[in-house]
């Protein structure tokens, strides 16, 4: 029969009948012609007028029985789920659309975040890494006895506080070294 559900479609109808709150099912299905993506929604008898033809074969129009036979499509009750509306498309089309969408989103993310990362990297190098490297070179020089090397203080941030602390430490070290040298000379 041309409108009779196959086993898979019948199982969808049974799931809808088993859970009246279920409003939609979707997924992939393998058919001889290839894989498809389907979306199914329940169809219920919502009008009394439907029961005029589908309650019992005795009251059904003769043309309906001639087309579909007396065995199927009868015994319906009001608000009962009797079928499923299924829309399907080839899975390759769905997966192709998903790939295109993923590529587009990744392109947008790269277009937005790559320049942002480059700018942040530049700012981090300029305001943190470069001053810390300069302090490391100055600390190395001071540790080798070059007491005229100063830790540069250019900003009003944590790097500036660190440079100030290093300069105070260098001054304390210089005073301690001078006192040691004075005691040594005595």
């Amino acid at each position: 029969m041309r409108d009779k559900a196959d086993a898979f479609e019948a199982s969808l109808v049974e799931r809808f009948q088993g859970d009246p709150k279920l409003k939609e099912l979707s997924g992939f299905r393998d058919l001889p012609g290839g894989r498809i993506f389907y979306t199914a929604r329940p169809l219920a008898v919502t009008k009394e007028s439907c029961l005029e033809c589908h309650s019992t074969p005795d009251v059904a129009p003769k043309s309906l029985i001639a087309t579909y036979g007396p065995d199927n499509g009868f015994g319906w009750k009001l608000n009962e789920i009797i079928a499923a509306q299924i829309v399907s498309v080839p899975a390759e089309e769905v997966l192709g659309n998903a790939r295109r969408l993923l590529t587009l989103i990744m392109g947008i993310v790269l277009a937005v975040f790559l320049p942002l990362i480059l700018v942040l990297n530049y700012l981090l190098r300029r305001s943190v890494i470069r001053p810390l490297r300069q302090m490391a070179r100055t600390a190395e020089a001071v540790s080798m006895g070059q007491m005229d090397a100063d830790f540069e203080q250019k900003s009003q941030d944590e790097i500036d506080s660190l440079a100030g602390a290093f300069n105070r430490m260098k001054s304390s070290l210089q005073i301690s070294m001078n006192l040691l040298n004075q005691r040594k000379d005595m």
Side-chain angles (χ1 to χ4, degrees), residues 124-178:
L124 186 66
R125 281 179 184 262
R126 195 177 112 223
S127 59
V128 177
I129 295 173
R130 193 179 299 154
L132 286 177
R133 281 187 180 156
Q134 179 61 37
M135 277 188 212
R137 283 192 292 274
T138 304
E140 181 83 21
V142 169
S143 74
M144 299 301 233
Q146 263 186 318
M147 291 303 196
D148 59 335
D150 268 335
F151 294 94
E152 294 182 26
Q153 293 177 269
K154 297 180 181 178
S155 59
Q156 298 286 331
D157 58 8
E158 289 79 7
I159 302 293
D160 181 54
S161 298
L162 183 62
F166 272 123
N167 278 329
R168 285 189 299 280
M169 183 179 69
K170 185 188 79 151
S171 295
S172 295
L173 181 64
Q174 198 168 18
I175 291 170
S176 297
M177 293 300 289
N178 286 340

